[in-house]
Amino acid sequence: MPLEEKQHYNPLGRLFYRLGRLWINSYVGKLLGIIFKSIGALFSIDRKRFRTEFRQIVMQVFFTGIEALPLIALIAIVLGTLTITQALTVMPKMGFTDFFGNLMVIIIIRELGPVLTAFLIAGRTGSALAAYVGNMRVESEVDALETMGIDPIKYLVMPAMVGGIFALIILSTLFSTIAIVVGFFVAKGLVVVMQSMLEGKLMWDHYLDSILMSLQAMDFVMIVLKPLVFGALITSNACLFGMSVEKDIREVPKSISRSVVYSFITIIIANLILSLAYFVGYIQTISTVI
Amino acid sequence: MESISLRNIKYSIPDWKDSKVILKDINLQLQQSSVLCIGGQSGQGKSTLLRLIAGLLQPDSGQIFFSGIESKLHEHNALNIALVHKVAFVFQNSALISNLKVFDNVALPIRYHHPDLPSNEVTDRVMQILESMMVDEYKDFFPYAISMGAQRRVAIARALALEPRILLMDEPTSGLDAKNRRSLLALIENQRVLRHASILIATHDLRIAQELNGQIIALHKGVLSEPQFYDDFVESPEGYIRDLVYESSENNDIL
């Protein structure tokens, strides 16, 4: 029994103490712990010292945002083109051409855009971050920071989280924009080439109007909120599993794989919660209007 | 005046079914401006003891004092120890930040803790430390691009950047050739004499104590021996101390 528990608590207190320890040592407890510590570090930042942390944030934005852009753009073009061409093969036959904008908003802007971007960043940047932090642990670099009086949460985790979130918001917006705009023109090209197979007509003005008409005010909130939550989850999972590496180099690949898997799982759960919240809010708004 | 004082320190690590005791009832005093070497076979807990003092590990029980002030268990963490008690640590593997150049590694603690310092003053201060460690020529190199001896010097330079009162060094001479070893010991002696730093060294190389005019204590089965100067230490009748001295002199003969 730990010394502090033995000394300070009666049986009921001990039960709560143990429940508390169980919560703190659980995955969710640790994940929330690292997120809240980072938020605390962000708000307790010394303005004079910001230069050191700002450098780390810029490096993270560069690595997460700029270097990942070609990959994000490619996937966005493919997804946009596929969605439009698939819709073209089915919707005109069923007489749903007017709902084209709704379909694009729901699939690209609300759901797949933020989630796919987050998955790509979790696989690319999250894994790299977990490996970086894990190697720093193995090489005692994190210990070295502490012995220099430098808090690893302030120096490593918080800048990675802020940079990751910032980059993900930009990338997610770019993903949706590229999927909708470039996807449209590629699909239009396909319609010209494959006239016999694709029946519908693609008019830019009509397409753009229907998308803009389908957008709700809440969509603009979600465009920022989803990448913000996903970015926090990706970077905190990467740092959590990277930091959990002890002194064995064989733990690093395990931490990378766990970081990616747990990022995927938490992103899916967070997306479900946010989409449900959006849906409930949407239904309530419609009921009020009716 | 005692720079560090340990009283009845116990430390164990969880085993698969029970816990394994690493340190039992450790008592140690390190006087100001002195050198104390901890000898011992591999796996006896020398590095663990240094890590405990640095706040990287928490003892199961006991008290740790820095300059007479107790470091309470709930405050005993590396950040506090470094900032409040001015303790610096030199790791066995140097532990330089791999994505920072040599210059930035040494500048990091200065920039972090003295954000008001103009950049030209930071540069001057870093260059002065690098020159004193004879590694100024590597300032634009990343750590992986320089030799182990140079990395060790940079690690010491970084540890000295905040002018610590206490320097904890884990195997500072391991893997160094005779020339590098000599110059490193001269640098350590400089720190003791010029800055009045207290230096605690975990090492297999017991000659360090003789060359730095310090004392030696042996760590064996979780217990520390009495501190002795090298000449008395080598005369000890204890079998494990004789083994230590034999191994140490063998290593020095190789060098």
Side-chain angles (χ1 to χ4, degrees):
Chain A
M1 187 185 294
L3 197 65
E4 54 210 296
E5 181 182 351
K6 204 166 151 184
Q7 281 174 348
H8 298 300
Y9 300 103
N10 60 27
L12 188 64
R14 226 174 281 161
L15 175 72
F16 279 102
Y17 177 91
R18 284 184 181 176
L19 285 174
R21 284 201 78 87
L22 206 67
W23 165 249
I24 288 169
N25 291 326
S26 68
Y27 164 70
V28 179
K30 285 180 186 167
L31 189 73
L32 289 177
I34 208 163
I35 291 174
F36 284 111
K37 275 183 192 169
S38 302
I39 295 170
L42 179 65
F43 286 105
S44 64
I45 210 162
D46 184 341
R47 285 174 70 185
K48 290 175 193 162
R49 199 191 281 164
F50 188 62
R51 208 170 30 168
T52 316
E53 278 99 357
F54 186 70
R55 190 166 170 252
Q56 297 286 97
I57 292 172
V58 170
M59 278 166 65
Q60 190 62 39
V61 171
F62 182 78
F63 178 64
T64 310
I66 308 211
E67 289 186 2
L69 194 57
L71 179 69
I72 294 286
L74 178 70
I75 306 284
I77 293 168
V78 171
L79 179 73
T81 309
L82 284 177
T83 312
I84 295 169
T85 47
Q86 287 289 342
L88 271 178
T89 56
V90 181
M91 290 180 80
K93 287 176 186 167
M94 299 167 77
F96 289 152
T97 325
D98 290 344
F99 295 102
F100 215 72
N102 289 62
L103 183 82
M104 292 305 285
V105 168
I106 291 169
I107 291 182
I108 307 286
I109 296 176
R110 275 184 213 156
E111 297 301 332
L112 284 184
V115 172
L116 268 183
T117 313
F119 277 5
L120 289 170
I121 295 301
R124 185 190 171 277
T125 310
S127 58
L129 184 60
Y132 173 60
V133 177
N135 275 324
M136 283 188 82
R137 287 279 301 162
V138 173
E139 296 296 327
S140 299
E141 291 175 39
V142 176
D143 287 344
L145 285 174
E146 289 187 28
T147 58
M148 286 187 274
I150 297 172
D151 185 353
I153 295 283
K154 283 186 182 170
Y155 181 77
L156 274 180
V157 182
M158 184 274 287
M161 194 174 284
V162 173
I165 288 171
F166 189 66
L168 202 63
I169 291 172
I170 295 170
L171 282 180
S172 183
T173 313
L174 280 175
F175 185 99
S176 299
T177 312
I178 292 170
I180 287 171
V181 176
V182 184
F184 171 84
F185 288 107
V186 176
K188 198 168 172 67
L190 283 175
V191 169
V192 173
V193 176
M194 303 157 67
Q195 274 175 339
S196 56
M197 292 169 76
L198 299 167
E199 291 173 11
K201 285 182 182 175
L202 278 173
M203 307 293 287
W204 172 250
D205 292 342
H206 182 67
Y207 171 77
L208 192 64
D209 281 349
S210 65
I211 286 174
L212 292 176
M213 292 288 282
S214 309
L215 279 171
Q216 308 290 319
M218 197 60 189
D219 284 318
F220 293 99
V221 176
M222 285 294 171
I223 284 171
V224 177
L225 188 62
K226 278 194 177 180
L228 189 149
V229 173
F230 299 161
L233 289 172
I234 292 165
T235 46
S236 55
N237 269 305
C239 291
L240 176 66
F241 288 105
M243 286 283 193
S244 68
V245 171
E246 293 294 331
K247 296 290 163 206
D248 188 354
I249 191 78
R250 290 172 303 177
E251 288 178 37
V252 177
K254 285 183 199 166
S255 79
I256 297 169
S257 120
R258 279 187 201 134
S259 137
V260 175
V261 170
Y262 278 82
S263 291
F264 280 14
I265 294 169
T266 47
I267 287 166
I268 288 170
I269 294 170
N271 186 54
L272 179 71
I273 294 167
L274 289 170
S275 294
L276 281 177
Y278 177 93
F279 184 67
V280 170
Y282 186 62
I283 296 289
Q284 279 176 348
T285 315
I286 288 175
S287 330
T288 317
V289 171
I290 291 168
Chain B
M1 177 76 177
E2 287 162 357
S3 283
I4 300 175
S5 175
L6 305 186
R7 289 185 201 162
N8 311 318
I9 290 292
K10 287 190 179 115
Y11 180 74
S12 56
I13 51 168
D15 213 342
W16 67 278
K17 62 174 183 181
D18 205 355
S19 61
K20 186 183 174 192
V21 177
I22 305 292
L23 303 171
K24 21 177 152 158
D25 209 24
I26 296 287
N27 289 287
L28 175 152
Q29 277 82 39
L30 172 67
Q31 301 299 325
Q32 194 182 352
S33 192
S34 68
V35 173
L36 181 62
C37 294
I38 309 169
Q41 304 280 2
S42 296
Q44 293 294 324
K46 300 186 297 293
S47 302
T48 304
L49 183 55
L50 288 194
R51 284 176 167 267
L52 271 171
I53 296 170
L56 293 168
L57 297 171
Q58 288 276 337
D60 296 340
S61 63
Q63 292 170 295
I64 301 177
F65 295 84
F66 294 98
S67 306
I69 301 164
E70 186 180 359
S71 174
K72 302 273 184 201
L73 280 183
H74 66 277
E75 292 169 349
H76 191 74
N77 60 63
L79 289 175
N80 248 348
I81 305 292
L83 293 176
V84 179
H85 304 293
K86 295 227 154 217
V87 177
F89 198 110
V90 179
F91 291 82
Q92 187 175 1
N93 66 341
S94 302
L96 298 172
I97 307 298
S98 50
N99 66 342
L100 295 181
K101 290 179 179 173
V102 163
F103 179 92
D104 293 319
N105 258 287
V106 180
L108 177 65
I110 302 174
R111 284 183 185 140
Y112 197 84
H113 294 295
H114 303 285
D116 290 332
L117 219 58
S119 58
N120 59 333
E121 275 187 45
V122 174
T123 307
D124 290 347
R125 204 160 144 183
V126 172
M127 287 313 295
Q128 198 185 342
I129 302 170
L130 289 176
E131 278 164 22
S132 73
M133 290 290 150
M134 293 176 283
V135 280
D136 49 316
E137 61 187 298
Y138 305 120
K139 71 181 171 69
D140 293 324
F141 286 62
F142 281 102
Y144 65 81
I146 60 177
S147 70
M148 192 193 276
Q151 282 185 24
R152 199 65 55 79
R153 286 155 184 271
V154 176
I156 296 173
R158 185 179 66 178
L160 298 177
L162 294 176
E163 299 176 349
R165 286 198 291 259
I166 299 164
L167 198 52
L168 307 174
M169 306 179 94
D170 194 1
E171 300 283 3
T173 56
S174 74
L176 296 187
D177 58 29
K179 187 184 161 199
N180 267 315
R181 181 181 172 282
R182 270 197 304 275
S183 61
L184 189 73
L185 293 184
L187 293 169
I188 295 172
E189 179 66 0
N190 266 353
Q191 290 310 310
R192 189 180 69 80
V193 175
L194 299 177
R195 292 176 192 255
H196 305 291
S198 312
I199 299 159
L200 185 60
I201 304 171
T203 183
H204 284 99
D205 181 2
L206 300 176
R207 287 260 181 198
I208 290 179
Q210 190 183 31
E211 289 166 52
L212 296 176
N213 199 26
Q215 290 185 305
I216 311 172
I217 42 176
L219 182 58
H220 182 68
K221 292 184 176 171
V223 180
L224 282 176
S225 68
E226 284 298 312
Q228 288 171 305
F229 285 101
Y230 184 80
D231 294 338
D232 301 325
F233 190 79
V234 295
E235 297 299 325
S236 170
E238 293 283 354
Y240 70 91
I241 291 184
R242 285 184 170 276
D243 287 346
L244 276 180
V245 173
Y246 177 72
E247 279 172 26
S248 171
S249 46
E250 253 194 343
N251 288 338
N252 275 300
D253 288 347
I254 293 167
L255 277 174

